[in-house]
Amino acid sequence: MFKKTLISLAVASSLGLTGCLSSGEEGANANPDYLIEDTTIDKSLVRPIYNPNPIAAEPKFPINSDLILLLGATQSANYDFTGLSTGKTPADDAVNRLSGFSTSGAFSLKFDGSLNPASVMANATVFLVPLNVGPALASAPLALPNTNPSSIVKADPFGQGLSTPLVQPNFRAEVVSLDGGIDNAIRVVPLEPLEESQKYLVIVSDDVVGANGKPIARSTEDLALANGNLGNPALGNVKAILTSADQLANGFLTAQQTGSKSAFAYTLTTNADTDVLRALMAPAAFGQGLGQKIGFNAQLQAVRDNYPDMNFSQLTTQLGVIAAKAEALSLGQIDPSSLTAEELQTITRLGQITPLITPAKIEAAIGAEVGKTLHIPIPRPSFFYPAKSATALTTIDNLTPGNSIKAAAQQVQVSQGAITLPYFQSLPGDTGTEIVTGSWSGSTALEAGLNESLAPGEKIFSFLRDIDGKLNVNGYFPFPQQNATTTVPVVIFHPVLDGTPAQPASCVNAGAGKPNGVTIFQHGITVDRSVSMLPAILLAQGACQTVIAIDQPLHGLAGATNGSVPGLDTLDEATLTATINQVLQAPGVAGSPLEAQLNALIGADYIGERHFGYTNNGQLVPVAADATDISSGSLFINPGNMMNSRDNLRQGVVDLLNVAASVQTFDIDGDFTTQGDLAGVPVNFVGHSLGGISGTAFAALANDGTLNATLNGIYQMAGAPLNGFTFPTLSSVVLHDTGGQVTRLIENSPGLSGSLLGGLANAGVTQGSSNFESFFYVFQSIVDASDPVSFAKDLGTSTPNILITEVVGDTTVPNQANVDPFGKALSAPLAGTEPLMALVDLGAGGTSLADGTEGLGIIDLSTPTGGVMPAASFFDGSNPCSGANHGTFVGPLVPNANCPGGAADTSVAFSAMVTQTAQALSAQPIPGQSVPAVGASLGASLTLENALDQNAP
C-alpha cells in the first residue's frame, strides 16, 4: 500500500527552504547579540551602515536585501516569499506585499563617513552582478520562487557555463549626500530596467576610498556576525547568507582581476510583477506554473494538517523528510512501526491526494477556470443610445462659425453608452473609504474552484499566504480576485457613413459601412473622457477613424461644466435601466444572446460615473459630493497606500484590454439585430499623459505575439460564440506627452509634485533623507507592475507603427530628470518622456535616441522633414500660452490666468499634433515642416544625447 504514497512531484529533501532564524520561537526573546572577538577595529575607516542581525534592537539592511524577503519563513505557518516589516508607514505596508524589488528604481547604500566620489565607478569599484540561480524545487521549478540565496548554483554562480548568458545590467554608480552628511552614500542607478525575477549580487569593493584616502572596510556588525562566535545559534542561517555573499563577491573580484576585496556584499531579487497583467491577458501562458503550485501546496497541506504548530520553514523541511520516509517505506527499507503517528497520517494523506493531483487532472481543473475565475479579455456587454450629430454637443455648438472643428463635426456623429467591465479594485463601500484603502488581492475564487474540481466538497490545498493570512497577487501568484462588475460610460465619435455629402472623403471603406480604423483613446489624470472630443472629431472627419473613449478608474464627468469639455451626458443608472428594459421587450430579443448581455449591463454591481460620486477632501479622504463639487481623478494617486495607486493603474490597463476585445461587438447603428458594426476594422490606440502611461502597458500586452496568439487560441478552444472573435493586434500606437518611472516622474513634475512632497514633508520625510529615498524605492518596487519602463522595450520590438510626442519644457510630465532634475530631486535617468522614447528606441533596434537614423526617427527643429514610423516628434513649449503645452492635444484653447487675455491659445500646435496623429493612425509617414502647422510648432530638446546616459564614454 505504501508504494501509492510516493509523492507525485517528488519533493526533494534538498528543498532547503530556511528562513533567517531556525524557528519562530528561537531567537525571538533570546540574546540577539553575538560575541565580538576582534577588539582592534580601526575606527578611522569609512564603513557601510549595515547591521544584518534581524533580531538586533535596530537592524540596518539595504532597502532591497534578500534578508527582508526571507524573514517571514520562520515566523508563521503562512509565508509567501514577500517582505516582512513591523512598521506602520505606507512604505512598511508595501514592503509586506513585496515579492521582489524594483527593476528600475535607484537605491542608496549609506556609509558612516564621507567617500571620495572619484573612487566610485560602476563595474570598477561598484558591481551589480546577475547570479545563476537554480530552482528552489528541482522537480517543480515553477512551484516556488528562487528567493533563497541557497539556490545559487555553486558550481557556476555567475553563469559562465549557461548556453544563454545572463544579461548584464546597464547602471551607473554615483556618490550622493543624505541625512545632512557629505558624500556619504553610494547610489546605484539603473539606466535600463533590470531583468525580472533575477537575483543580483551587489558588491562595493575596498577600491572605494573615504575622503581621508583610506580604503573602506566592512561594517563591524557584518564582520562580527559573519566571522565571530554567535551568542545566539538562531543567527546561524544569517551568518551563512553573509558568508556566502562575501565569498561570492571576493570570487568575482578575483576573477575580474581587480586586486581588491569586498567591503560590502549582499544579494537582492527583482520582482516579476508585470506578470500579473500578462496573466490577465492570457492566463494559459502561466498554466504550467499554476499547476506546479497546486501540486506542491496540496502536499504541503497534508503536512500542515498533521503538524499544526510548525512554521513554514519547518513545514517545507518536514515535507522533504516525509517524502524520503515514504519512499523508504515503499521500498521496505524502514519498519512502519518506527514512524510516528503524524508521519503515518501524513504519508497516508499523501497517498490519498496523489491520484487527485495528476498533471492531467490539474490541467483540466485549470482549464475549467479560464474565463471564469481566470480573467481573459473578451467582448463585454455594451449598449449605445441613438447617435446624434457632433454639432449638437455644447462645446461644438458654441464654436464660432467657420471654426475648423465645427465644420468637421458636421461629418461626425457621437454615440454615448455604457460597457460592463470586470473590477478588481474595491468598490467604495458605505463610506467611500475602500476607494483609498482597497487594493488587489489573490483570487480565492480560483482557489475554491480548483479545489472543487479536484476534490468535490474538500479543500485539499491552499495557495501560499502572507503572514497575515492574505493571498497576495504578484509575480509568484499573478491571478487577482475580481471584486465586482461595473457598468461605466463609453463615448464613440464616428464618421458619417451613409453615402451622403456628409460622409468624409477620407473614408475608403464607406461602401462596406466601415471606418478606416478604430482608435481607442485614453485621457490623462484629473480630466475625463470628454477631452477626447476635439481631437476625436478631427480624426473621425480627417482620417475616418471611429474614436472610442472611456474614463480612467476614479475619473468621470464632474465639476461645474459636467466634464472637462462640456457636452457629454452623465451615465445615469435609472435612465440606462429604463431604456434597456424597453429594448428587452423588442421583438427577437427574448432568448437571444443580446438578452443576456443587456441584463448583465443593468445587473452590474455598480452603474454610473467611475468616480462613484466621491471626491478628495484635501487629505486623500473620500467624501460623497454632488457632481458639481467632484474633482475627477482626485483620489487616483495615493501615496498613503502604494498598492492602491498601483492597482488604479493596473485597473486602467485591464479596462483597455477589455475595450479592445469588445470593439468587434459594439452596436452603434441603432439596429439591435446586427451586432458588430466595427468588426474587422484595424484597431489603433492614442494615449495622452496618464493615458499613455497605462496605454504603454496595454499596447505592449496587446501586441505581444505570444500572449496575443495564446489568447486567440483560448477563443478558438472555447467554441461559440468566442471562436467567432479575434483579439486585435494594434495597428498603430500614438503616445502624447507621457513618460515612465511614475514615482520619480511625479517628484520631478512642477505640476504634480507639490502635494506629494508636501505630504511627505509633513510626515517628516524630506528630499535628501534616507527615508525619502527608501520611500520612493519601495513605491517604485510596487509600481513596476504597470510602469511604462517595464513594457517600453517590448512595445518598441512589437510595434513598428508608433509615434511618441513631447512638448519641450512640459511642466506636467517632465521631458527627463537625468541632467537637471527638478528642485532638490536626485537624478532619475528613467523618469519622463525621453527615457521612455529611448527604451522604445532600443526595442526597435536603435542604440542611441539622439541618432535618429535607427529605431525611432526624430522630427524636430534640427531634423524637420518627417519620415516613417517609428518616430518621435518634438514641439516647442517655450511659450505655453501660444506655442504648445501639456494639454494642447486635448485643449487648444483653455483658460489660463498667466497668459495674455486670460487664455492659452495653442491652436497651431494642436493642428500639428492632430495632423501627425491622423497620419500615424493611417499607417502613413509622419509629416514634418511640409505641413505649415507642424513646421511652425516644432521644437528641439537639448537633452536627447543624455537619455539613459547614452552619451557616456
Side-chain angles (χ1 to χ4, degrees):
M1 66 174 286
F2 289 106
K3 288 186 178 181
K4 294 182 180 179
T5 68
L6 288 177
I7 297 175
S8 62
L9 293 182
V11 177
S13 59
S14 62
L15 178 61
L17 183 65
T18 55
C20 293
L21 308 179
S22 58
S23 76
E25 291 74 35
E26 286 184 276
N29 296 305
N31 176 16
D33 296 328
Y34 31 76
L35 303 180
I36 302 175
E37 295 182 346
D38 187 358
T39 59
T40 61
I41 299 296
D42 187 344
K43 301 292 182 67
S44 70
L45 301 182
V46 175
R47 302 174 187 271
I49 297 176
Y50 182 38
N51 182 357
N53 179 358
I55 56 175
E58 292 188 24
K60 297 184 184 299
F61 302 154
I63 191 61
N64 54 4
S65 169
D66 276 338
L67 286 173
I68 294 172
L69 302 179
L70 296 171
L71 289 173
T74 56
Q75 306 305 302
S76 164
N78 288 325
Y79 174 62
D80 64 351
F81 297 85
T82 55
L84 180 64
S85 181
T86 58
K88 302 299 182 183
T89 70
D92 290 299
D93 292 341
V95 166
N96 288 329
R97 306 300 173 200
L98 285 181
S99 62
F101 300 104
S102 179
T103 57
S104 68
F107 58 93
S108 299
L109 309 173
K110 194 177 172 185
F111 289 74
D112 63 6
S114 296
L115 302 170
N116 179 351
S119 68
V120 174
M121 297 170 283
N123 296 315
T125 60
V126 178
F127 303 87
L128 190 58
V129 185
L131 294 172
N132 181 18
V133 182
L137 190 60
S139 57
L142 301 177
L144 294 170
N146 56 4
T147 307
N148 199 326
S150 66
S151 297
I152 297 169
V153 178
K154 294 180 175 58
D156 186 18
F158 307 117
Q160 293 97 325
L162 295 174
S163 57
T164 302
L166 297 173
V167 177
Q168 300 302 309
N170 182 12
F171 74 102
R172 74 175 186 232
E174 60 195 19
V175 172
V176 296
S177 301
L178 296 178
D179 301 320
I182 299 175
D183 295 338
N184 63 336
I186 291 176
R187 194 164 182 254
V188 179
V189 187
L191 297 172
E192 298 174 37
L194 306 178
E195 293 297 296
E196 295 182 338
S197 196
Q198 173 66 56
K199 190 176 294 297
Y200 291 90
L201 177 66
V202 180
I203 308 171
V204 182
S205 81
D206 63 4
D207 275 346
V208 173
V209 299
N212 58 9
K214 296 182 179 181
I216 63 169
R218 291 175 69 180
S219 80
T220 54
E221 297 89 350
D222 180 14
L223 283 168
L225 186 52
N227 301 331
N229 296 322
L230 299 179
N232 187 334
L235 295 170
N237 289 324
V238 179
K239 178 174 181 174
I241 290 172
L242 298 180
T243 301
S244 173
D246 187 61
Q247 290 174 346
L248 282 171
N250 282 310
F252 177 83
L253 294 172
T254 298
Q256 297 294 310
Q257 299 181 338
T258 65
S260 59
K261 293 184 179 180
S262 171
F264 192 12
Y266 70 95
T267 63
L268 69 90
T269 304
T270 56
N271 69 59
D273 289 353
T274 57
D275 279 349
V276 176
L277 287 174
R278 293 188 176 97
L280 285 165
M281 169 80 174
F286 299 85
Q288 183 180 10
L290 178 58
Q292 292 183 14
K293 291 173 177 64
I294 294 168
F296 170 77
N297 283 303
Q299 295 167 56
L300 189 67
Q301 184 69 44
V303 179
R304 191 192 306 266
D305 289 344
N306 289 288
Y307 297 90
D309 296 327
M310 284 188 173
N311 64 43
F312 184 83
S313 177
Q314 294 167 331
L315 287 169
T316 54
T317 301
Q318 188 66 13
L319 179 55
V321 171
I322 293 291
K325 290 188 175 183
E327 182 175 10
L329 192 61
S330 69
L331 296 174
Q333 296 174 348
I334 58 174
D335 189 332
S337 64
S338 67
L339 299 176
T340 66
E342 291 84 358
E343 289 172 333
L344 283 171
Q345 290 167 0
T346 304
I347 291 173
T348 300
R349 181 56 178 161
L350 289 170
Q352 294 170 345
I353 67 171
T354 294
L356 303 178
I357 56 173
T358 63
K361 289 184 177 180
I362 289 177
E363 182 178 357
I366 293 172
E369 297 301 315
V370 175
K372 186 179 174 183
T373 61
L374 286 171
H375 169 276
I376 55 173
I378 59 174
R380 301 289 174 177
S382 61
F383 173 81
F384 292 91
Y385 295 103
K388 62 182 180 182
S389 173
T391 58
L393 298 171
T394 301
T395 295
I396 306 304
D397 185 52
N398 288 337
L399 293 175
T400 58
N403 181 282
S404 61
I405 300 175
K406 188 163 189 168
Q410 297 177 21
Q411 297 181 295
V412 177
Q413 293 181 305
V414 57
S415 296
Q416 299 186 70
I419 184 171
T420 300
L421 298 173
Y423 200 60
F424 296 88
Q425 274 285 53
S426 297
L427 292 177
D430 294 335
T431 64
T433 302
E434 293 185 43
I435 291 176
V436 293
T437 61
S439 61
W440 289 15
S441 60
S443 180
T444 54
L446 170 63
E447 183 180 75
L450 291 168
N451 270 289
E452 185 64 21
S453 291
L454 294 169
E458 292 188 68
K459 187 173 184 178
I460 61 171
F461 81 94
S462 296
F463 292 118
L464 299 184
R465 297 305 206 268
D466 204 344
I467 195 170
D468 62 1
K470 181 173 182 178
L471 179 56
N472 286 316
V473 58
N474 48 41
Y476 168 68
F477 185 77
F479 310 107
Q481 174 77 29
Q482 181 180 328
N483 290 322
T485 56
T486 59
T487 294
V488 299
V490 57
V491 61
I492 301 182
F493 297 88
H494 45 104
V496 173
L497 295 172
D498 60 2
T500 69
Q503 180 174 292
S506 60
C507 294
V508 298
N509 296 318
K514 302 283 187 179
N516 295 358
V518 171
T519 294
I520 300 170
F521 173 92
Q522 189 56 286
H523 65 77
I525 195 164
T526 67
V527 290
D528 54 71
R529 65 189 182 277
S530 71
V531 299
S532 64
M533 185 186 300
L534 303 185
I537 288 172
L538 292 177
L539 293 171
Q541 188 271 338
C544 198
Q545 293 291 311
T546 290
V547 181
I548 301 167
I550 62 169
D551 292 298
Q552 293 272 9
L554 304 186
H555 291 68
L557 299 185
T561 57
N562 196 42
S564 301
V565 180
L568 298 185
D569 299 326
T570 298
L571 178 63
D572 178 71
E573 179 177 4
T575 303
L576 180 70
T577 302
T579 303
I580 287 181
N581 279 329
Q582 289 180 350
V583 176
L584 288 169
Q585 306 305 313
V589 174
S592 71
L594 178 60
E595 181 182 35
Q597 294 181 42
L598 294 176
N599 279 319
L601 270 164
I602 59 177
D605 298 295
Y606 172 80
I607 301 173
E609 297 293 322
R610 303 198 72 179
H611 48 59
F612 298 108
Y614 286 88
T615 194
N616 183 356
N617 72 344
Q619 303 297 321
L620 273 176
V621 175
V623 292
D626 293 334
T628 54
D629 296 322
I630 290 174
S631 177
S632 176
S634 60
L635 295 165
F636 189 89
I637 298 176
N638 181 9
N641 186 326
M642 298 179 184
M643 291 74 69
N644 180 261
S645 291
R646 171 202 62 196
D647 293 337
N648 288 333
L649 285 166
R650 287 203 289 210
Q651 182 67 53
V653 177
V654 180
D655 294 339
L656 291 171
L657 290 171
N658 280 287
V659 170
S662 302
V663 166
Q664 57 203 312
T665 61
F666 281 173
D667 175 23
I668 58 174
D669 65 1
D671 183 355
F672 300 122
T673 64
T674 59
Q675 302 290 299
D677 298 338
L678 301 173
V681 177
V683 179
N684 307 300
F685 176 76
V686 173
H688 176 250
S689 191
L690 175 62
I693 289 174
S694 56
T696 298
F698 157 65
L701 293 168
N703 285 8
D704 183 301
T706 299
L707 295 178
N708 192 292
T710 301
L711 177 58
N712 280 305
I714 293 172
Y715 282 10
Q716 293 305 306
M717 293 177 62
L722 266 186
N723 63 356
F725 299 122
T726 301
F727 187 87
T729 296
L730 300 176
S731 176
S732 295
V733 174
V734 181
L735 304 175
H736 287 294
D737 311 320
T738 193
Q741 199 171 66
V742 173
T743 57
R744 297 295 184 175
L745 181 157
I746 295 173
E747 184 193 9
N748 284 277
S749 167
L752 299 175
S753 60
S755 59
L756 174 60
L757 298 182
L760 288 173
N762 290 337
V765 180
T766 57
Q767 288 175 301
S769 68
S770 297
N771 285 341
F772 184 92
E773 291 302 303
S774 295
F775 177 94
F776 269 81
Y777 182 80
V778 172
F779 202 176
Q780 188 60 46
S781 294
I782 291 290
V783 174
D784 273 352
S786 55
D787 198 293
V789 299
S790 302
F791 294 91
K793 276 189 180 181
D794 289 345
L795 180 59
T797 300
S798 66
T799 310
N801 289 342
I802 185 168
L803 169 66
I804 310 177
T805 73
E806 170 181 292
V807 172
V808 179
D810 193 329
T811 57
T812 300
V813 173
N815 299 157
Q816 54 83 43
N818 192 12
V819 295
D820 52 353
F822 178 61
K824 297 180 180 179
L826 297 177
S827 174
L830 287 173
T833 304
E834 289 169 16
L836 182 65
M837 289 176 170
L839 291 171
V840 171
D841 177 71
L842 291 174
T847 57
S848 171
L849 175 62
D851 179 82
T853 62
E854 53 185 9
L856 290 181
I858 301 296
I859 305 172
D860 64 4
L861 279 176
S862 300
T863 52
T865 56
V868 298
M869 292 183 285
S873 186
F874 298 82
F875 292 89
D876 182 8
S878 60
N879 187 342
C881 294
S882 60
N885 57 50
H886 180 75
T888 292
F889 180 69
V890 294
L893 181 63
V894 295
N896 187 327
N898 296 318
C899 295
D905 185 350
T906 56
S907 300
V908 174
F910 168 75
S911 175
M913 292 177 183
V914 171
T915 298
Q916 288 192 336
T917 301
Q919 288 296 100
L921 300 179
S922 302
Q924 297 299 310
I926 308 303
Q929 63 183 0
S930 60
V931 173
V934 176
S937 304
L938 289 178
S941 170
L942 301 179
T943 52
L944 289 188
E945 292 185 351
N946 304 102
L948 312 182
D949 283 5
Q950 289 175 341
N951 62 337

